[in-house]
Amino acid sequence: MRRTLRTCRTYLALISAVAVLVACGSSTKTATPGTKGLAPPKISAATSVGSGEGALNIVVWAGYAESGANDPKVDWVHPFQTQTGCKVNAKIGNTSDEMVQLMKSGQYDGVSASGDATLRLIYGGDVAPVNTSLVANYASVSSFLKNGNWNSVGGQMYGIPHGWGANLLMWNPSKVTGAQDSWAAVFSDADKYKGKVTAYDSPIYIADAALYLMATQPSLGIKDPYALTSAQLDAAVSLLKQQKADIGEYWADYTKAVQAFESGTSVVGTTWQVIANTINADGKTKVKTVLPKEGATGWSDTWMISSKAKHPNCMYQWMNYIVSPEVNAQVAEYFGEAPAQTAACQHTSDKSFCDTYHALDAAYAAKIHYWTTPQKQCVDNSGKDDCTDYAQWVDKWQQIKS
Amino acid sequence: MGGQVATDQELTLVPSVVPAPHDRRGAVSAFFSAKRKTRLAMLLGAPMLWLVLAYLGSIAVLLLSALWSTDFFTGNITHTYRLDNLREVYTQSLYRTVTLRTITVALVVTLLDVLLAFPMAFYLSKVAGPRLRKVLLVAVLTPLWASYLVKAYAWRSLLAPNGPVSWLTGGHTPGYGLTATVITLAYLWLPYMVIPVFAGFERVPRSLFEASADLGAGAGRTVRSVLLPMVFPAVAAGSIFTFSLTLGDYIAVGIVGGKTQLLANVIYGQLVTANNQPLAAALATVPLIAIVLYLLLMRRTGALDNI
């Protein structure tokens, strides 16, 4: 009996402790600063590149640092190692958020960051400015990728552009009949493939829904899928909640996406070209991809060097190597994206590759809505500041998935 | 039962009571006894250091960091103390839904494991011959040698739309989702339930069954009035493993859970996707409290003496 009483008292103490903690909290939420009036921490760029330190730890998107492990013929890491003596240790990041998190650990020398990670890394002081004169191959990189608002601040480059491309619609033609040309396949028509639809598991996927609404519901007035007012965000969220009923599973890990399509768990959804290539190379299942008529979200990736890099010389050598014409062509063809290096177009095995991906077409590149971190200060250059920020997107994404 | 436990404790206490030596070699024995203390310190020092610094210390840091906040744009942590995170965790309906779902899954997994483990352990302990028992015990433990991931992915293939379960049932596979998660977790944690329950049955003397039968009780009555009360603490001990392991799992859910998420997925999401370590830490207090409450509840059953 006494033991029971004591236990009860312990419960009460615990519960009241929690209640007190919760009740005492103040309700002010930390404000999220925009880029306006904010300067990145002062970090100086390298002035020279010495000989390699013997190792290189990088965070990469799947398919950016192939060492022949997935396909013996696809290997540009080993030639780099023999050339420079830098042993490459590549860690795959599944989402931009994961990449930012990994870079914050300070254990990596560099990262292939997309536009929704770059500014966070720059303003967080996690990456250092890049002295582009130390990267010989930078000169012939497409000019529309230089000094972009996602990879530079005040005319100072914070990385070397790598390549760009669009998030595509992928489907399994044996399960999904007809040629697809619209994102409606995963939104308004998704119930046709109930339980077999897949979507990218990241808050940034909200932009895909916003893009679809931009084309189908002009009355909402969405001009940029990353600059959403609260009302516009809510519309995108309700579309995604509706979509969730038809989702089989979300993917973030690209191997999971490959396996889901091969096993028939998913038959239609958003993808990267590299995933489609992997599935078609395995040959168990055949898939098709398209850039739908509504346009697409996409990425523009930049190699950045950590402000705490332990092997800065190796990282500079890697940045120069990966945008060299031959290697950039190889990566771009393997991943299925437009190479940043203009000279790469002469080195692709498929001579029409650069035309297919519009690699040199600045006007086409402008049509893709590149991943950008949503901020209160609208990212559509309208000068308004009534937009929803990434923290709100994260909250909404959690609600959609709960 | 209580008496039996007491005798066990006395038995284990006996060897440690060493009579003090009363002879001329007092100084030597003093030296040895001092040395014994040193030896004891050396023996217990490392584990104590680990327990206090690495284990309790990290929990303390976790609870402390729940009070910090994150600058969402740069992702850096602001070291000012606020209770916003805890308030958010304990008031938002999103987290309540996920918490309830997680606790339900943990309870269902525990129940399933009890139902599976009880007859298995009974057969192992009371029916199987010595040689068969050894073979079966090895069979129960062998899955623990395989990697967790391999087993979870095996279930992913088993439950796939074109997988064996679908083939056997004529297309009635549960698919990926909550059911698949429960099945997979129940499979993964089953050995942690079988072993304590088996040990519990081992402590029940066979003569009690005979006594029960002599007094006219049937098989059902014997199980209900003799077996269950004696084995219950062991079941409760096993349930501590299955319950707490389920509360912390996010990998199996990610592999076979389809679009569902449990508490640990939300914590992982806050930590990795949202890069909000303070909120993740605040969320981590939920399973921590759930497990503490569960342990307190189980302590009353005597389960803690059975681990």
Side-chain angles (χ1 to χ4, degrees):
Chain A
M1 184 60 203
R2 185 176 297 166
R3 198 165 167 187
T4 320
L5 266 178
R6 205 176 347 134
T7 318
C8 282
R9 227 175 293 149
T10 324
Y11 284 125
L12 280 177
L14 260 174
I15 291 164
S16 52
V18 170
V20 166
L21 278 174
V22 173
C24 294
S26 64
S27 61
T28 41
K29 250 202 152 173
T30 31
T32 308
T35 45
K36 202 183 176 188
L38 193 78
K42 284 244 177 304
I43 298 165
S44 48
T47 48
S48 65
V49 176
S51 53
E53 295 89 348
L56 176 66
N57 300 321
I58 44 177
V59 179
V60 300
W61 287 108
Y64 275 15
E66 289 298 307
S67 59
N70 293 322
D71 181 345
K73 293 192 289 289
V74 181
D75 180 3
W76 50 87
V77 164
H78 284 109
F80 173 75
Q81 292 184 161
T82 17
Q83 261 178 44
T84 62
C86 301
K87 187 160 179 343
V88 177
N89 170 25
K91 163 86 184 157
I92 289 181
N94 291 316
T95 59
S96 288
D97 308 299
E98 205 176 307
M99 289 186 164
V100 172
Q101 182 81 359
L102 287 168
M103 286 306 287
K104 286 202 178 297
S105 73
Q107 288 167 8
Y108 296 91
D109 301 308
V111 60
S112 62
S114 293
D116 56 334
T118 46
L119 290 182
R120 282 189 261 166
L121 291 168
I122 295 172
Y123 285 93
D126 302 303
V127 291
V130 169
N131 184 347
T132 52
S133 62
L134 300 176
V135 181
N137 290 316
Y138 178 73
S140 45
V141 161
S142 292
S143 54
F144 58 85
L145 297 173
K146 292 179 179 172
N147 292 317
N149 57 5
W150 69 94
N151 58 15
S152 67
V153 172
Q156 170 62 59
M157 281 300 282
Y158 273 78
I160 302 297
H162 167 89
W164 52 277
N167 294 310
L168 304 169
L169 176 68
M170 174 162 76
W171 73 96
N172 179 344
S174 68
K175 303 278 167 56
V176 177
T177 48
Q180 302 296 320
D181 69 337
S182 166
W183 289 114
V186 293
F187 291 115
S188 46
D189 297 342
D191 53 348
K192 281 199 241 166
Y193 319 107
K194 200 169 180 56
K196 306 262 181 195
V197 178
T198 190
Y200 186 53
D201 189 359
S202 164
I204 209 73
Y205 184 67
I206 293 174
D208 286 57
L211 182 76
Y212 179 68
L213 292 175
M214 194 162 110
T216 54
Q217 288 187 38
S219 60
L220 282 167
I222 299 174
K223 296 274 176 284
D224 182 316
Y226 304 98
L228 304 179
T229 61
S230 297
Q232 291 164 345
L233 179 64
D234 288 343
V237 168
S238 75
L239 179 64
L240 290 167
K241 281 186 174 161
Q242 194 188 318
Q243 182 200 41
K244 195 200 170 195
D246 303 315
I247 294 272
E249 57 182 17
Y250 293 95
W251 68 274
D253 180 344
Y254 92 114
T255 51
K256 189 175 164 187
V258 169
Q259 201 268 343
F261 268 84
E262 286 183 345
S263 69
T265 306
S266 302
V267 299
V268 64
T270 180
T271 198
W272 303 328
Q273 187 64 44
V274 67
I275 294 174
N277 293 351
T278 311
I279 297 171
N280 286 334
D282 286 356
K284 280 184 270 179
T285 308
K286 287 285 169 198
V287 289
K288 288 187 173 176
T289 54
V290 71
L291 200 159
K293 62 183 180 203
E294 293 90 357
T297 58
W299 69 90
S300 184
D301 292 345
T302 308
W303 286 99
M304 306 181 105
I305 181 166
S306 168
S307 52
K308 305 166 205 87
K310 291 183 189 71
H311 314 102
N313 294 336
C314 277
M315 189 58 206
Y316 264 92
Q317 287 172 1
W318 172 263
M319 288 196 286
N320 191 42
Y321 175 79
I322 202 77
V323 294
S324 64
E326 297 83 1
V327 179
N328 204 224
Q330 231 181 325
V331 184
E333 267 195 298
Y334 180 70
F335 192 86
E337 64 184 344
Q341 176 59 260
T342 53
C345 292
Q346 285 113 51
H347 295 273
T348 52
S349 59
D350 170 6
K351 289 303 158 202
S352 60
F353 183 82
C354 278
D355 294 335
T356 315
Y357 283 87
H358 306 264
L360 307 173
D361 186 347
Y364 176 89
K367 272 189 227 152
I368 296 175
H369 300 273
Y370 299 104
W371 281 347
T372 308
T373 309
Q375 293 160 39
K376 196 167 177 306
Q377 189 78 39
C378 300
V379 292
D380 58 358
N381 297 324
S382 64
K384 290 188 191 147
D385 65 349
D386 60 346
C387 284
T388 47
D389 63 19
Y390 193 61
Q392 284 165 286
W393 284 41
V394 171
D395 276 354
K396 293 289 181 194
W397 186 246
Q398 295 264 2
Q399 281 173 25
I400 293 164
K401 281 191 67 200
S402 75
Chain B
M1 217 280 302
Q4 200 192 348
V5 170
T7 8
D8 283 354
Q9 280 169 351
E10 274 156 32
L11 275 174
T12 51
L13 280 175
V14 170
S16 65
V17 183
V18 180
H22 293 289
D23 53 35
R24 286 181 295 173
R25 290 171 292 172
V28 181
S29 83
F31 170 73
F32 269 113
S33 97
K35 207 175 170 190
R36 204 166 59 187
K37 270 183 195 158
T38 323
R39 227 166 30 206
L40 193 70
M42 278 167 77
L43 181 70
L44 290 182
M48 285 302 280
L49 202 72
W50 184 85
L51 184 74
V52 173
L53 281 185
Y55 188 71
L56 296 179
S58 65
I59 289 184
V61 170
L62 183 88
L63 293 178
L64 195 67
S65 67
L67 303 175
W68 294 336
S69 50
T70 302
D71 178 327
F72 277 106
F73 186 64
T74 59
N76 293 333
I77 289 173
T78 321
H79 297 259
T80 45
Y81 296 95
R82 292 158 183 276
L83 293 164
D84 296 358
N85 292 326
L86 287 168
R87 177 208 286 275
E88 198 177 329
V89 165
Y90 288 95
T91 53
Q92 268 210 13
S93 64
L94 154 71
Y95 300 125
R96 209 173 309 140
T97 321
V98 179
T99 303
L100 274 179
R101 183 188 303 144
T102 308
I103 290 179
T104 314
V105 166
L107 290 175
V108 173
V109 166
T110 302
L111 191 73
L112 260 179
D113 276 344
V114 171
L115 291 179
L116 288 170
F118 202 83
M120 277 171 83
F122 180 78
Y123 186 85
L124 271 171
S125 168
K126 299 296 174 218
V127 183
R131 192 174 300 164
L132 182 61
R133 177 187 305 175
K134 259 179 217 152
V135 173
L136 289 178
L137 265 179
V138 169
V140 167
L141 292 175
T142 313
L144 292 179
W145 294 3
S147 153
Y148 170 102
L149 277 178
V150 170
K151 288 181 282 183
Y153 270 107
W155 275 103
R156 187 176 162 89
S157 321
L158 280 175
L159 297 168
N162 51 7
V165 173
S166 167
W167 178 73
L168 275 175
T169 57
H172 290 93
T173 168
Y176 303 135
L178 221 47
T179 321
T181 310
V182 169
I183 295 175
T184 307
L185 290 175
Y187 165 79
L188 286 171
W189 313 143
L190 188 60
Y192 299 99
M193 180 63 88
V194 174
I195 296 308
V197 177
F198 167 71
F201 275 121
E202 284 290 270
R203 264 180 305 209
V204 180
R206 203 182 279 269
S207 55
L208 281 183
F209 298 135
E210 287 156 16
S212 174
D214 286 349
L215 293 169
R221 182 68 202 246
T222 307
V223 167
R224 224 172 33 247
S225 305
V226 180
L227 208 52
L228 272 183
M230 292 191 71
V231 179
F232 183 70
V235 172
S239 80
I240 291 172
F241 294 120
T242 56
F243 184 81
S244 58
L245 287 170
T246 307
L247 276 192
D249 190 85
Y250 67 94
I251 299 170
V253 198
I255 294 170
V256 297
K259 59 189 167 184
T260 47
Q261 51 176 4
L262 298 183
L263 204 48
N265 298 87
V266 179
I267 296 174
Y268 180 85
Q270 285 297 351
L271 188 66
V272 177
T273 309
N275 186 28
N276 191 345
Q277 199 222 327
L279 187 59
L283 272 166
T285 58
V286 177
L288 202 66
I289 289 173
I291 287 169
V292 167
L293 290 181
Y294 193 78
L295 281 176
L296 289 174
L297 207 72
M298 286 302 121
R299 195 183 65 158
R300 284 205 257 171
T301 67
L304 299 186
D305 307 326
N306 277 270
I307 294 180

